[in-house]
Amino acid sequence: MDAASVLQDLIRCRSVTPDEGGALKYLETKLTQLGFKSQTVTFSDDGTPDVSNLYARFGSGAPFLIFAGHTDVVPTGPEERWRFPPFSGEISDGVLYGRGAVDMKGGVAAFLAATADYLKENPQPRGSIGFLITGDEEGPAINGTVKLLKWAKDKSEHFDHCVLGEPSGEKAAGDRIKIGARGSFSATLTVTGKQGHVGYPEKANNPVPHLMRMLQAISTPLDQGNQWFPASNLEITDLFVGNEASNVIPRAAQAKFNVRFCDDWTLQSLEQELRTRLEKSAEGIAYELQIVKGNSEAFRTDAGDFLELVSKAVTTATGDVPKFHTAGGTSDARFIKKDCPVVEIGPAGTTLHQIDENITLADLERTKKIYLEILRAYFA
C-alpha cells in the first residue's frame, strides 16, 4: 500500500479537534478491507464536545501489538499564509504538505501501509495487530484514548505492547525513540491583597509584588534531572490582573504555570513541594493554588526485549542506530503506559503545528519501512 496516497486522503479530511472530519471513517473502511474487525466509539462528558474514536483488531491470539495515534489536528492558522491549501495534501519537489502531515496522520498512514504489506507477506500472523486511534489528542484528551482504553479493557482486550506513531524523529524517522515523558503539572496561583488608590499605598496591599515573589520561590530549580530526564522546569504561561485604571492598586493578581518534571517526583510530592515553597514565601498574604484537571505523571519504559526489538528493527530498516530519549511534550502514551509498555516512534517532527506543515516522501517511506520491520520482528 502506498503511504503517500493514504496520507493525502487523510489530510483531505478536515479533522480539526474535535471534528472527526471523515478521517476515522476512512481508516475503518481501509482496515475492514484488510480483514480487521473495526468499531467507531463516541464518548461524551460534561462541558466537553463528543469525540469519535476507532478501535480495530486483526487476529485473536497473543501477543497483541497495538498501534496508537490520533487523526485530529490543530487549527491551521491563517490559511492564506500556506504555500498550498492546508487540507489539499499537495506534493511538490518530494514534499507532502498539509495540516497533520507529521502530527500525526503521517504516522497513521505509514503504519496502515506497513500493516497492509505485512499481511500480504503473512496473512495469518502469530498474534494480533490492533489500531487504537483517537480524535481527541490535540484537545482536552477527556473523551479520547483514556476512555477508549477503558472501553477495550471492559471487553477483555489485553495489549502486550504499543507503538505510538507521534513524530519523535529529530532529523529523520527513527533516529530517536521516545521511551518516556516528563510529567506535566499545571496550576493557577491567585494572590489577594487590598484594593486602593496608588497615591495612598499605606491604605492598600498590592498583590502583584507578592505574586512575583511567590512565583520566584517556586521557579528556583526543583532538581538536577537524572540519567533519563532533564531537570524539571516551571514555566509561567499567563499573568492576569485585569486592572483598567492606572491609579488603582488592584485587589488580586493571578498567574498560570506549568511544570514539566522528571520521575524523581510524583504529582503528589511535587504539589507538596510547591505548596511548601508558597507558604514560606507568602509572608501573610492570602493566596489560593488551584490544580488543573488532567495533570500526568512522568514515566519511562524499562529496557528489555521490546525496546531491543524496536531498536534493531530501526537499524534493519534504515542502517542507523536510534537513540533513546524522553524529551518533548506529553502524548497519549501517558495513558497507554498503564496498560502495556509503549514507545513513540514516528517521522521527524520539524514542522508539527506550523504553517506549511509537511513531510518529505522519503521520510514517510522510511517511517513505513521501520513499522514493517517492527511487525516482522514482533511476530517472527
Side-chain angles (χ1 to χ4, degrees):
M1 183 180 289
D2 180 38
S5 296
V6 174
L7 180 53
Q8 285 181 302
D9 289 341
L10 285 173
I11 287 175
R12 289 164 184 161
C13 298
R14 291 177 172 264
S15 53
V16 178
T17 311
D19 293 334
E20 184 268 336
L24 294 180
K25 184 63 177 177
Y26 172 85
L27 287 177
E28 185 175 15
T29 299
K30 288 289 186 182
L31 288 168
T32 301
Q33 291 171 352
L34 291 176
F36 280 77
K37 294 182 179 179
S38 304
Q39 186 171 352
T40 300
V41 189
T42 301
F43 297 114
S44 304
D45 210 322
D46 292 340
T48 61
D50 293 353
V51 174
S52 296
N53 306 271
L54 175 66
Y55 180 75
R57 178 169 182 165
F58 185 98
S60 58
F64 189 1
L65 178 66
I66 193 84
F67 175 82
H70 64 92
T71 53
D72 62 314
V73 298
V74 297
T76 64
E79 294 197 19
E80 65 274 11
R81 292 183 56 197
W82 284 68
R83 180 179 180 186
F84 302 105
F87 296 107
S88 64
E90 291 287 341
I91 296 175
S92 178
D93 297 325
V95 179
L96 198 162
Y97 292 84
R99 177 56 83 223
V102 291
D103 190 16
M104 61 159 279
K105 291 179 177 180
V108 174
F111 200 86
L112 176 62
T115 300
D117 287 2
Y118 177 74
L119 290 177
K120 282 185 179 180
E121 299 175 357
N122 301 276
Q124 296 296 327
R126 183 187 61 87
S128 301
I129 306 171
F131 280 72
L132 190 86
I133 310 296
T134 183
D136 193 29
E137 199 274 346
E138 301 289 6
I142 293 174
N143 294 320
T145 295
V146 64
K147 288 187 177 180
L148 189 58
L149 286 168
K150 183 181 183 303
W151 175 89
K153 189 173 183 179
D154 289 344
K155 294 183 176 297
S156 300
E157 297 287 79
H158 172 76
F159 312 132
D160 291 293
H161 298 93
C162 177
V163 172
L164 181 60
E166 290 283 0
S168 61
E170 184 174 24
K171 296 181 180 179
D175 60 3
R176 300 189 306 175
I177 299 174
K178 190 170 182 179
I179 61 170
R182 291 181 294 173
S184 178
F185 179 95
S186 293
T188 299
L189 174 62
T190 303
V191 177
T192 303
K194 183 179 180 181
Q195 184 174 322
H197 194 292
V198 295
Y200 302 91
E202 71 279 3
K203 297 181 180 181
N205 190 357
N206 194 331
V208 176
H210 294 287
L211 176 65
M212 303 309 293
R213 181 183 65 251
M214 296 171 74
L215 289 174
Q216 182 63 37
I218 61 176
S219 296
T220 54
L222 290 160
D223 54 63
Q224 301 301 314
N226 56 39
Q227 178 185 359
W228 290 107
F229 290 89
S232 303
N233 70 289
L234 183 148
E235 296 293 337
I236 300 166
T237 57
D238 189 30
L239 293 171
F240 178 77
V241 177
N243 189 3
E244 298 181 356
S246 61
N247 62 346
V248 175
I249 293 174
R251 174 181 176 274
Q254 187 178 85
K256 295 181 180 179
F257 65 87
N258 175 268
V259 186
R260 294 301 165 101
F261 59 95
C262 71
D263 59 356
D264 291 340
W265 302 93
T266 65
L267 285 171
Q268 291 73 24
S269 65
L270 178 62
E271 179 181 345
Q272 183 58 53
E273 173 67 16
L274 295 175
R275 289 190 182 278
T276 298
R277 293 187 180 194
L278 288 172
E279 189 62 28
K280 288 181 179 179
S281 62
E283 298 182 359
I285 193 73
Y287 70 92
E288 181 183 11
L289 183 67
Q290 293 181 310
I291 312 304
V292 174
K293 183 180 179 180
N295 289 332
S296 58
E297 299 278 6
F299 76 94
R300 178 172 61 87
T301 297
D302 294 329
D305 292 343
F306 182 56
L307 289 187
E308 183 178 358
L309 181 150
V310 173
S311 179
K312 288 183 176 179
V314 172
T315 302
T316 299
T318 68
D320 298 330
V321 178
K323 297 178 180 179
F324 295 144
H325 79 104
T326 60
T330 59
S331 71
D332 281 348
R334 68 190 189 274
F335 307 127
I336 299 167
K337 57 94 175 176
K338 300 175 183 177
D339 289 65
C340 67
V342 55
V343 296
E344 293 184 41
I345 182 167
T350 52
T351 62
L352 70 165
H353 292 201
Q354 295 181 12
I355 299 293
D356 286 339
E357 180 179 353
N358 66 78
I359 186 172
T360 66
L361 296 181
D363 202 43
L364 181 62
E365 185 63 24
R366 178 181 166 110
T367 307
K368 174 187 171 181
K369 288 181 179 179
I370 290 170
Y371 291 156
L372 181 56
E373 287 300 328
I374 291 174
L375 289 165
R376 287 168 174 165
Y378 192 82
F379 296 109

